[in-house]
Amino acid sequence: MSLQRMSQPGLRIFSTGAGISAESGIPTFRGEEGYWTVGAKEYHPQELATHYAFTQMPAEVWAWYLYRRAVCRAAQPNTGHLALVEAEKLLGDQFLLVTQNVDGLHLRAGNSPGRTFEVHGNIDYFRCAENCTPEHYPLGEGFLPFAKGQKLSPEQQALLRCPRCGTWARPHVLWFDECYNEEHFRYDSSRSAAAKAVTLVSVGTSGATNLPVQMGFIAAQRGAFLVDINPQPNPFSQLAEQQGGRWLRESASTGLVRVVKAIQGG
Ligand code: APR
């Protein structure tokens, strides 16, 4: 089956994961780069990216995030990100981007905040760890660069405070021991969008997280056309093939350029 259905009117959702940013040089979450040493102990990302770890060692968890954020800030959007900017220009309010990536590259590439749901947050922002306000604040140009293994100075620690109540601030990201919600992560909006989509294109995700997988199943149940772009098989490629959709077994940039051509009717 061709990608012809991409040009049919209606809401077209793009759901992206770490694979799209791999071409910008950002290491994937679960790769070897992810390990972090605190004292004599090595931590796996799945241990550090937790509310529990933050309650035990906030300065160390912050140091890990500030290092990862510096890596993201040094990276540039790639052809895949730019293809999605083009897709939004072509589709306007029939376009929605739902990303698991916290690297902020979609917004830096030029997708609009209104049509980009960052469902795992954004590493460039912080908010009150006690949730005294839902407000989130930009880290701005502070803390850059931040080297691997660097420790927070007391002056830096003093800056990582909630501007409203003065308690610890935390990174504005979804941790492994936390649940999605609408307030910070557009959970309900993402699910209801999936129910209205005529096509859902998943890009560079292993399908390990809950909301994107739910969205795939909701869209499939409603008869949406499913496309998966990923060199490796994954739950979305399987679902797309089962539902008469397409698995583009290639890189995010190659696949997205092809999909944008199909939207233009090419
Ligand atoms: N183009 C397309 N896909 C690629 C590319 C590429 N150039 N390179 C790698 N991939 C694919 C891999 O085959 C894999 O399926 O990207 C996927 C990356 O999978 P993960 O690292 O599991 O990333 P993701 O699905 O985004 O899940 C990470 O889980 O731990 C949480 O919150 C964290 O958002 C993060 C999410």
Side-chain angles (χ1 to χ4, degrees), residues 66 69-70 72-74 76 108 123-126 137-146 150 156 159-160:
L66 291 172
R69 173 197 178 233
C72 295
R73 284 288 290 264
Q76 296 305 322
R108 279 174 54 202
I123 203 163
D124 245 341
Y125 289 80
F126 66 97
Y137 307 92
L139 281 159
E141 298 311 304
F143 307 98
L144 290 168
F146 202 93
Q150 187 176 330
Q156 287 175 320
L159 292 172
L160 293 169

Side-chain angles (χ1 to χ4, degrees), residues 27-36 45 64 67 71 148:
T28 57
F29 207 69
R30 296 174 177 86
E32 279 176 22
E33 284 281 300
Y35 288 91
W36 189 256
W64 182 58
Y67 161 68
V71 171
K148 189 164 192 177

Side-chain angles (χ1 to χ4, degrees), residues 169-214:
R170 56 164 286 174
H172 174 51
V173 297
L174 179 68
W175 281 327
F176 281 105
D177 51 357
E178 295 181 315
C179 298
Y180 288 103
N181 60 44
E182 176 64 17
E183 188 174 50
H184 294 305
F185 305 114
R186 312 301 305 267
Y187 177 74
D188 302 316
S189 302
S190 300
R191 282 172 46 97
S192 55
K196 292 184 208 127
V198 294
T199 62
L200 185 133
V201 182
S202 48
V203 187
T205 174
S206 63
T209 54
N210 181 287
L211 176 58
V213 171
Q214 279 194 51

Side-chain angles (χ1 to χ4, degrees), residues 16-20 22-23 28-31 46 100-102 120 174 176 203-209 229-234 250-253:
T16 63
I20 190 169
E23 291 172 78
T28 57
F29 207 69
R30 296 174 177 86
Q46 269 137 302
Q100 297 165 65
N101 299 339
V102 299
H120 292 174
L174 179 68
F176 281 105
V203 187
T205 174
S206 63
T209 54
I229 306 172
N230 196 323
Q232 301 298 328
N234 67 84
E250 56 200 9
S251 72
S253 55

